[in-house]
Amino acid sequence: MKAKRLALMALGLSLGLLLTACPQTPPPSGGGGGGGGSGGGGGSGTTVTVRQLDSGPLVGAYYRVGSGSWQTLTFSGGQATFTATGDYEVAVRCQSGTDVYTDVYLFKATVSQANALSFACQASSGVGGSQTFQVTLPASIGSHTIQPGDGVVVGTYGGAYTGSNPVSVTTYLPDGTQDVLLAVLRATGGSPPTSVTPIGYKLVTGLNVASGGTYTVDQSGWQPFAATRTIGALSLPSGYQGLAFVLFFRDGMKSATTVGGVDRYGTLGLSGKYVGLAQAYSTSNPDNLLFALKDTEGNNWTPSLPNPWGANQFSVSGDTLTFAYPNAQGYDLSAAGLLKDSTSNNGLRVLIWVYPSGNTTTYQVPVVAGLNYALEDPNTRTVNFTLNAFRGDPAKAAVFFGGGTPTESALTGLDVAWAQRSGSFSGSSYTLP
């Protein structure tokens, strides 16, 4: 998916690394045990649903149950089904193109771990071009007098009040008619700040947003935040830096807006969902990232980040991958250099999603003849990869980062964290250092 830049620009906090935390397409949605039924495979068992989230053309799609033979998946209305008992695998190849980021998708799970998977062939449109908001602030909001340095946030971007109106904010919202929340926040304590004071907000309803548009927001209708909640201090591994903030979303919006960060956030006199987001990165290797997402329910929130990937917790031997991150509930690996087109020999990018099968999970990368791909020569290959280990239901993260519009109901109960590690290696074998 295209990188959405989640930022508290008004606070001087850039969060541009954020969306590298998840695959460019939503993780497959884990459906738990699911109901039984019949599908493409026939017989009794659990029906597994595979959904394509766009209309990008396919080379083909296959599934197999256990160690059985690969069977064709046929899509109708954007989805295909089959019946499985125990473990199963799915392989999908998209037709390559300039807007196709991932060429091959490979999934492995048991029916008790997931009975619904999803993928997208074309890079998610997500957020399109920029928009400019010209915002006129009142002299005060509630008990707070507006002062130079106060930040106006639209979505997840902001601009600073310099002492005169209007405040210009360049932001990135999806196109279309939507409600847009603006928030005023005050940061203190330097850069990065040590404290944030939520001041107030304004909800603009039914705004028809288009890329390149300019929108004027006047000084009427601003409300003080109804209450202030605390954000607990991050517990960070040695050598990591991080921050936390909270966004507000309600049905009718297309993009959440930041309503606080660091130590405090504001609650509104409106119904909606509060999503806490914490991020940390290694100062010695900024590609090593930790993330947590939480439905705070409008309460005080102390973020809980996962541990970083450790040495020897991921390894490669030829076509076999081994994952051993403690207590992971799902893994994904996005890689270039593992697969190639069988005809042209052009390299292909693959996204591999594997549910764990114990403390150590081994996955052999399959070659599905009908999808016209092959393994790169392990002796001469160079592989670039991004690796994630999830705690909680990763499908919930996809709700927030999937490029589409979330809903309040889909965000309810959101509680997922993941550790990310990026790197590269050459040759047939590799062990995470």
Side-chain angles (χ1 to χ4, degrees), residues 20-68:
T20 58
C22 65
Q24 98 294 343
T25 190
S29 55
S38 61
S44 62
T46 298
T47 298
V48 178
T49 301
V50 182
R51 295 186 178 90
Q52 182 175 358
L53 303 178
D54 62 9
S55 57
L58 297 179
V59 173
Y62 291 80
Y63 76 94
R64 70 175 175 184
V65 177
S67 58

Side-chain angles (χ1 to χ4, degrees), residues 35-51 61-66 70-75 79-91 107 109-111 114-117:
S38 61
S44 62
T46 298
T47 298
V48 178
T49 301
V50 182
R51 295 186 178 90
Y62 291 80
Y63 76 94
R64 70 175 175 184
V65 177
W70 289 96
Q71 306 291 323
T72 302
L73 268 177
T74 301
F75 286 81
Q79 71 177 39
T81 61
F82 62 92
T83 299
T85 56
D87 63 276
Y88 65 89
E89 295 179 69
V90 172
F107 304 102
T110 67
V111 293
N115 60 16
L117 309 172

Side-chain angles (χ1 to χ4, degrees), residues 128-151:
S130 66
Q131 305 89 23
T132 300
F133 282 74
Q134 300 291 345
V135 182
T136 298
L137 294 174
S140 62
I141 301 175
S143 61
H144 294 282
T145 300
I146 301 300
Q147 62 187 39
D150 289 345

Side-chain angles (χ1 to χ4, degrees), residues 373-415:
Y373 70 83
L375 295 167
E376 292 276 12
D377 183 344
N379 296 311
T380 60
R381 69 188 179 190
T382 295
V383 178
N384 297 292
F385 68 88
T386 298
L387 176 67
N388 292 292
F390 289 90
R391 182 189 72 204
D393 182 1
K396 288 284 189 177
V399 168
F400 202 66
F401 292 116
T405 301
T407 64
E408 291 181 46
S409 61
L411 293 173
T412 299
L414 173 68
D415 188 3

Side-chain angles (χ1 to χ4, degrees), residues 203-256:
L203 184 68
V204 179
T205 60
L207 187 64
N208 187 11
V209 174
S211 298
T214 298
Y215 306 92
T216 300
V217 179
D218 64 27
Q219 64 184 15
S220 65
W222 290 88
Q223 303 285 330
F225 282 104
T228 299
R229 304 294 186 225
T230 62
I231 301 173
L234 286 175
S235 178
L236 295 172
S238 176
Y240 276 70
Q241 293 183 358
L243 57 88
F245 57 102
V246 174
L247 302 101
F248 176 84
F249 177 86
R250 73 193 309 253
D251 291 340
M253 299 172 65
K254 287 183 177 289
S255 184

